Amino acid sequence: MRIATLEQLLDALDQVFDDGSDWTRDDGRAVWEDILSRPDHPLNSDLPDANLVQWRARAQLPAGEGRAALDVGCGLGRNARWLSRQGYRVTGLDLSPYAVTGAARRTTLPDVTFVQADFLRNHVPGEPYDVVYDSGCFHHLPPHRRLSYLRALAGALQPGGYFGICTFAPGRMGSEDDDVTVLRRGHLEGGTAYSVADLRAIFSDLEDVTGGPLEPASDGEDAVFAMDVLNAALFRRPA
């Protein structure tokens, strides 16, 4: 085959990571089942991300009434359930059938639907959304698949909508190798670290709202999911 399209190039670069280290394609399903089935794993939680709760408390994230939200890489549905409790109609999307089944089993709230699909390669159901949120999907992508992600996000997020993301933070978790090194190596080391500045550069077509490390709940506040290895950022698509 001679590469003649961007999609052919992306598919060819996927083959660089045929060692099983790319957990964002179909053959990564078993990895997520192993992770999410561990009772003591941090992702086996029902707590919402601290940044989501703080953004809403600061009125940086709009109230959910009359709005739709997409939770990308929803896992067992903890953030999807929180968004539903804020009034959003929520679609939780995950590559892993185990995650989608487990999320549905844990969820009794109305207006929450869980769908097994590949955000990078499948049509996103119900688009466009007022809010798209990603906690831990983006930092597992190989470098070239960021292009697929940006394309999918552009189709899923409506003008004036908000995009929130939570990723590994440099110096705390994830690889800090440059993209050329990663492509030459052909191996992903469990995830990539992104500073808030990195995220602002990658999502430069969106307006910056806020960003920083996850902050744990203060005394007297409801418990939240907060780990010091994570950064979060919130953006708005121009209307």
Side-chain angles (χ1 to χ4, degrees):
M1 183 190 76
R2 294 288 181 257
I3 293 170
T5 68
L6 174 60
E7 204 56 47
Q8 289 173 341
L9 175 60
L10 295 176
D11 289 342
L13 288 171
D14 281 345
Q15 298 175 37
V16 173
F17 299 94
D18 272 346
D19 65 343
S21 64
D22 180 1
W23 302 346
T24 64
R25 34 199 256 203
D26 282 348
D27 52 7
R29 294 177 180 183
V31 174
W32 293 114
E33 180 170 351
D34 176 64
I35 288 172
L36 295 173
S37 63
R38 298 180 204 166
D40 59 345
H41 195 281
L43 294 181
N44 198 334
S45 169
D46 286 317
L47 299 177
D49 284 352
N51 50 288
L52 275 177
V53 177
Q54 289 157 0
W55 293 341
R56 181 69 200 103
R58 298 167 184 166
Q60 294 168 317
L61 190 70
E65 287 76 11
R67 293 184 171 94
L70 176 68
D71 183 7
V72 178
C74 65
L76 295 174
R78 57 192 179 84
N79 290 313
R81 286 188 288 277
W82 181 87
L83 287 163
S84 176
R85 289 194 291 270
Q86 312 314 304
Y88 289 94
R89 301 183 310 278
V90 185
T91 299
L93 191 72
D94 205 285
L95 179 75
S96 164
Y98 180 89
V100 169
T101 300
R105 187 181 299 120
R106 293 186 183 202
T107 304
T108 58
L109 296 164
D111 291 329
V112 185
T113 302
F114 294 102
V115 179
Q116 190 269 314
D118 182 341
F119 183 65
L120 303 180
R121 301 169 181 85
N122 298 147
H123 174 74
V124 178
E127 59 188 62
Y129 291 87
D130 301 284
V131 170
V132 175
Y133 185 63
D134 174 351
S135 180
C137 174
F138 185 77
H139 61 214
H140 288 296
L141 299 179
H144 63 287
R145 280 298 174 182
R146 290 188 209 119
L147 302 179
S148 303
Y149 189 101
L150 289 168
R151 180 179 60 190
L153 179 62
L157 184 63
Q158 71 171 0
Y162 289 80
F163 170 62
I165 186 168
C166 184
T167 70
F168 293 148
R172 289 177 275 166
M173 193 167 187
S175 171
E176 297 179 53
D177 291 337
D178 67 86
D179 291 344
V180 172
T181 297
V182 174
L183 288 165
R184 284 174 172 163
R185 183 173 61 222
H187 177 76
L188 300 169
E189 298 183 338
T192 300
Y194 294 95
S195 66
V196 173
D198 291 333
L199 297 173
R200 287 170 177 157
I202 292 168
F203 299 102
S204 60
D205 286 347
L206 306 178
E207 298 170 350
D208 175 41
V209 178
T210 189
L214 268 65
E215 302 173 13
S218 301
D219 291 344
E221 294 180 336
D222 291 339
V224 291
F225 184 92
M227 301 179 69
D228 64 3
V229 300
L230 300 171
N231 277 333
L234 181 64
F235 302 93
R236 181 179 181 272
R237 183 174 182 177

